[in-house]
Amino acid sequence: MFVLNVLPDPWQRIQALKDAASVARPGGHVVAVTRSPEEITKAATDGGWTAHHDGFWSSQSKGTFQRGIDPGEITALARRAGLVPAAGAPVLPLTGVCHAVLTKPEA
């Protein structure tokens, strides 16, 4: 939870999903949960965060980065990591949060 949205490099996001996939069995599931773009934009505005790459420094002195990621982007990153959307996975209405249920394809 909330790992993809704190990685400033898109390749790191893909690698994190590859790492998660490496511990799932074929046919198994990975659930990716991020803060929503709306939630991050609001926090950035309220907190005076500095824009950086495709997100914001929430604390530049600590090197903490935040980026809202919607379910479509989670899925696009997951496909690059070798995962696919899980068929029939529920979509949960969670305030400020986005998620995707992913499957590791069978070999």
Side-chain angles (χ1 to χ4, degrees):
M1 288 182 67
F2 305 134
V3 171
L4 298 179
N5 56 277
V6 299
L7 299 171
D9 183 336
W11 294 109
Q12 291 175 315
R13 298 173 200 149
I14 294 167
Q15 186 59 53
L17 287 166
K18 284 182 180 181
D19 291 347
S22 75
V23 297
R25 64 176 168 67
H29 294 93
V30 172
V31 178
V33 182
T34 64
R35 291 178 70 190
S36 72
E38 298 80 16
E39 179 75 11
I40 294 297
T41 299
K42 181 180 180 333
T45 300
D46 293 349
W49 295 354
T50 304
H52 179 71
H53 294 301
D54 59 357
F56 301 91
W57 287 121
S58 52
S59 173
Q60 197 164 358
S61 64
K62 294 179 184 176
T64 54
F65 175 85
Q66 292 284 331
R67 179 184 194 303
I69 301 177
D70 66 32
E73 185 176 353
I74 296 171
T75 299
L77 291 166
R79 287 184 188 282
R80 299 199 64 187
L83 297 165
V84 296
V91 175
L92 305 173
L94 303 170
T95 303
V97 174
C98 294
H99 72 285
V101 180
L102 309 160
T103 300
K104 182 176 181 175
E106 304 221 19

